Amino acid sequence: MESEIKTRGFAIDVSRDKLTVAKAELVITQEKREVEVNEVREFKYDNEGIEELIKFLGEYKEGIMESTGPYFFYLH
């Protein structure tokens, strides 16, 4: 019998005007490791957009963030 481990997480790409967010699952079996992207959305990079982002993430509590400038200070 093949065992399977699933871990949920998200990734955020921070730009000057928008946040691009992907929700995904890491699936690990004896044969392979695979990331299954469930959904990708963009949000405005303002207070309203961040509130929508929090609702979108729901139960997804662990993630990573990438920024190409000092934009992450505001999100943090």
Side-chain angles (χ1 to χ4, degrees), residues 4 12 16-17 26 31 62 75:
E4 179 176 273
I12 301 176
R16 189 181 74 210
D17 299 321
L26 172 63
E31 287 79 32
E62 296 183 15
L75 180 62

Side-chain angles (χ1 to χ4, degrees), residues 11-75:
I12 301 176
D13 179 50
V14 180
S15 300
R16 189 181 74 210
D17 299 321
K18 68 180 178 179
L19 304 167
T20 305
V21 183
K23 293 194 300 188
E25 289 185 344
L26 172 63
V27 180
I28 301 172
T29 63
Q30 291 177 339
E31 287 79 32
K32 63 181 177 179
R33 294 180 181 170
E34 181 176 77
V35 174
E36 297 174 356
V37 177
N38 297 330
E39 191 173 358
V40 177
R41 284 192 48 197
E42 290 184 350
F43 300 89
K44 287 184 182 178
Y45 196 7
D46 58 15
N47 288 337
E48 185 178 306
I50 291 174
E51 287 178 18
E52 290 178 29
L53 166 64
I54 291 168
K55 290 176 188 174
F56 170 71
L57 291 176
E59 296 295 318
Y60 287 71
K61 303 295 182 198
E62 296 183 15
I64 59 172
M65 180 177 70
E66 186 277 335
S67 69
T68 54
Y71 313 122
F72 68 92
F73 289 113
Y74 177 69
L75 180 62

